[in-house]
Amino acid sequence: PVKIVTIGGGSSYTPELMEGFIKRYQDLPIREIWLVDIEDGKEKLEIVGALAQRMWDASPYDVKVHLTLDRREALKDADFVTTQFRVGLLDARIKDERIPLLHGMLGQETNGAGGIFKAFRTIPVIGQIIEDMKELCPNAWLINFTNPSGMVTEAAIKHFGWERCIGLCNVPTISMMAEPRLLGKDLSELTYRFAGLNHFHWHKVYDRDGKDLTPELIDHINEAGGGTPVNIYQAPFPLELLHSMNLLPCGYHRYYYQKQAMLDHALEEFRQGGTRAEQVKQTEKELFELYKNPQLHEKPVQLSKRGGAYYSDAACECIRAIYSNSRTHMVVSTRNNGAISCLDDDSIVEVSSLISATGAQPLAWGPMPSAEKGWLQMMKAMEECTIQAALTGDYGLALEAFVLNPLVENNAETQRVLDELLVAHEKYLPQF
Ligand code: NAD
Ligand code: G6P
Ligand code: MN
């Protein structure tokens, strides 16, 4: 029987996770689930934790959900540790999104200056979690969902030395749900190949005869239901660009390929209803009101308003595939090991992989066309710089990460944005 520990258990996504485990119980016999949070998240933990227990009680399975603020108590002898925490909660994300916008730059949870600061706050904490895991559950798998998922996973594996770590995102899952519908086919009839970085990958799709369906899907990409998560504004992609590449970009590529349209839209929202983080705070409040209802014992449909919907299809499926050694195709953040030839072997990349008891085995993509090679090398350099700054608290490296980031404008405001964010987040940045 399996022991699961979820750090950041007070997240509104926890019912997703429970649903995913209940669905897979026959293949993944769980004995106990420990939801870990901190003092600031205690109330959320108690509300969503009670719903989690009700979900299991309404299922045919006998699983106990433990709630604790003591991470070490929970980690003891864990088999799988999943992470879904947010250092500083949504108030910190509001600052990440508002401050750059006030200076005319895109503020976004995982991209631009906001994403860099989320990494600065999160990487030291993942380091502390791994310190505890080395002592208390040295054989456990760490399934990281905490954003920026690619950089946090790279820090966990490369810098804190936790090899048994896989990083996840729901974006590839959503594509693989939406696109078969657009094609009028079943997922099992298609072959998918993804490669790139988290929130910066491309993919291709083939049918059973090996015919490339990428051009057909490009023609559908600007339609509703095209596979973009709900948190991203769907500025239309220029189809000529995509057809020349003959690659399907991920939803987050809009911030790079359609930078001005995305900035204009973010400013518009900022003036009207507030940034995405402020909207999400309202959604979260509504969700927790629903969760309090003792009659509720399933995941409410309103959770689909969050961009991370279908998260459990990635997280629970990955754990199931490791546990049952099933060699299932999944798109995960893992060590490159040559899969993308223009990036270092030890870089963490988000690629099609086979998931088994030994973890993720990335499938070779091979060389990238020169445009994508250029993007990837720059974005990886920016990520490495961000991670080094997060580890050392070096101001110059933080500034270099800013200068390298295509969504941080390099002008008289650049350093002001950096300084304002450093002050705003001081409480969560002891290393600076
Ligand atoms: P949230 O604001 O609800 O935070 C989740 C919980 O983490 C909170 O209850 C909070 O108290 C707790 N927490 C904060 N610091 C902690 C610490 N040091 N130890 C333990 N718990 C701590 O966040 P959310 O909106 O549910 O998102 C959770 C995380 O998952 C975020 O990092 C978010 O970016 C990420 N996410 C990732 C994806 C993906 O595709 N990888 C999708 C959605 C969300
Ligand atoms: C997306 C992503 C996540 C992101 C989230 C935001 O789909 O894959 O990495 O953090 O959803 O959703 P939210 O509802 O919080 O804006
Ligand atoms: Mn994601």
Side-chain angles (χ1 to χ4, degrees):
V2 176
K3 175 174 179 180
I4 309 267
V5 177
T6 297
I7 314 272
S11 160
S12 64
Y13 288 110
T14 293
E16 270 265 346
L17 204 57
M18 297 304 118
E19 185 188 72
F21 285 136
I22 291 169
K23 246 197 298 192
R24 291 169 179 81
Y25 187 88
Q26 299 295 347
D27 290 337
L28 182 69
I30 292 172
R31 183 190 45 190
E32 50 187 311
I33 299 177
W34 288 70
L35 302 179
V36 183
D37 215 286
I38 53 169
E39 196 59 44
D40 291 345
K42 188 163 178 255
E43 202 192 329
K44 286 172 62 186
L45 177 70
E46 281 166 3
I47 296 167
V48 78
L51 170 59
Q53 185 66 66
R54 290 198 299 278
M55 290 175 74
W56 282 105
D57 292 347
S59 82
Y61 314 116
D62 184 20
V63 171
K64 170 93 179 112
V65 180
H66 300 260
L67 312 181
T68 183
L69 303 186
D70 182 349
R71 179 170 79 208
R72 292 177 56 85
E73 179 197 14
L75 287 175
K76 183 103 184 67
D77 300 326
D79 298 298
F80 294 93
V81 178
T82 76
T83 49
Q84 53 178 36
F85 61 92
R86 182 190 298 284
V87 179
L89 291 129
L90 281 170
D91 287 333
R93 175 171 164 191
I94 291 173
K95 294 174 185 172
D96 282 343
E97 296 189 346
R98 285 180 67 99
I99 292 171
L101 268 182
L102 288 167
H103 297 272
M105 300 182 201
L106 257 164
Q108 213 277 326
E109 186 188 17
T110 60
N111 290 266
I116 291 175
F117 267 78
K118 195 173 193 318
F120 289 169
R121 296 192 299 278
T122 309
I123 286 171
V125 177
I126 200 80
Q128 292 158 10
I129 293 169
I130 288 171
E131 280 310 304
D132 284 347
M133 289 177 68
K134 285 179 179 163
E135 194 187 322
L136 298 163
C137 52
N139 295 317
W141 281 94
L142 174 57
I143 308 297
N144 177 61
F145 193 68
T146 299
N147 272 321
S149 180
M151 285 193 260
V152 172
T153 302
E154 177 144 334
I157 297 177
K158 237 173 107 168
H159 300 281
F160 300 120
W162 199 267
E163 292 289 334
R164 289 157 82 90
C165 175
I166 292 179
L168 290 177
C169 174
N170 64 336
V171 170
T173 310
I174 293 176
S175 296
M176 289 186 280
M177 288 172 75
E179 291 168 358
R181 279 199 295 262
L182 290 171
L183 294 167
K185 289 189 189 297
D186 191 76
L187 178 61
S188 62
E189 298 173 79
L190 303 171
T191 295
Y192 269 87
R193 285 293 175 270
F194 283 77
L197 307 179
N198 177 234
H199 292 182
F200 205 89
H201 53 66
W202 299 272
H203 69 279
K204 291 182 71 70
V205 187
Y206 305 88
D207 74 5
R208 278 201 168 130
D209 303 316
K211 181 180 170 219
D212 186 359
L213 303 179
T214 309
E216 193 179 334
L217 283 168
I218 288 174
D219 286 329
H220 285 296
I221 200 164
N222 292 326
E223 294 167 14
T228 292
V230 295
N231 59 300
I232 304 172
Y233 168 62
Q234 297 212 32
F237 279 116
L239 295 187
E240 301 87 339
L241 172 69
L242 306 195
H243 278 299
S244 297
M245 289 161 42
N246 198 30
L247 294 169
L248 285 148
C250 77
Y252 284 93
H253 275 109
R254 288 190 176 81
Y255 290 107
Y256 301 86
Y257 294 163
Q258 290 290 60
K259 187 169 153 180
Q260 191 61 47
M262 296 303 278
L263 177 61
D264 291 347
H265 180 264
L267 282 166
E268 187 64 31
E269 278 203 322
F270 180 60
R271 286 189 206 104
Q272 291 179 1
T275 60
R276 173 75 189 167
E278 288 162 288
Q279 296 164 21
V280 160
K281 204 170 170 179
Q282 185 55 37
T283 305
E284 186 183 77
K285 209 180 275 167
E286 291 163 17
L287 283 170
F288 276 86
E289 280 310 310
L290 293 172
Y291 293 175
K292 279 181 192 164
N293 176 1
Q295 304 308 318
L296 182 72
H297 47 258
E298 60 189 7
K299 177 186 88 178
V301 287
Q302 287 89 335
L303 190 51
S304 63
K305 283 196 199 163
R306 292 296 305 271
Y310 310 112
Y311 149 43
S312 64
D313 282 300
C316 303
E317 187 58 15
C318 182
I319 294 175
R320 188 204 63 79
I322 294 171
Y323 183 79
S324 50
N325 191 27
S326 64
R327 294 176 60 79
T328 303
H329 170 261
M330 288 190 69
V331 184
V332 299
S333 281
T334 188
R335 201 185 276 276
N336 181 26
N337 282 338
I340 302 174
S341 55
C342 63
L343 294 176
D344 289 345
D345 289 350
D346 66 349
S347 281
I348 301 307
V349 295
E350 195 160 286
V351 280
S352 282
S353 302
L354 297 180
I355 312 296
S356 68
T358 54
Q361 184 185 344
L363 298 171
W365 174 279
M368 281 284 175
S370 84
E372 285 69 37
K373 175 178 165 180
W375 274 114
L376 282 178
Q377 292 182 339
M378 183 188 54
M379 292 297 281
K380 182 47 80 181
M382 184 279 296
E383 288 191 358
E384 286 175 357
C385 221
T386 300
I387 295 166
Q388 281 304 329
L391 293 168
T392 59
D394 186 294
Y395 182 88
L397 279 173
L399 185 56
E400 192 163 18
F402 262 40
V403 170
L404 274 167
N405 193 304
L407 304 183
V408 181
E409 299 307 328
N410 199 352
N411 59 28
E413 302 293 293
T414 313
Q415 230 167 314
R416 193 162 301 152
V417 176
L418 176 60
D419 293 347
E420 282 184 19
L421 283 164
L422 282 170
V423 172
H425 291 303
E426 197 173 12
K427 185 175 163 198
Y428 301 106
L429 298 173
Q431 74 273 43
F432 279 94

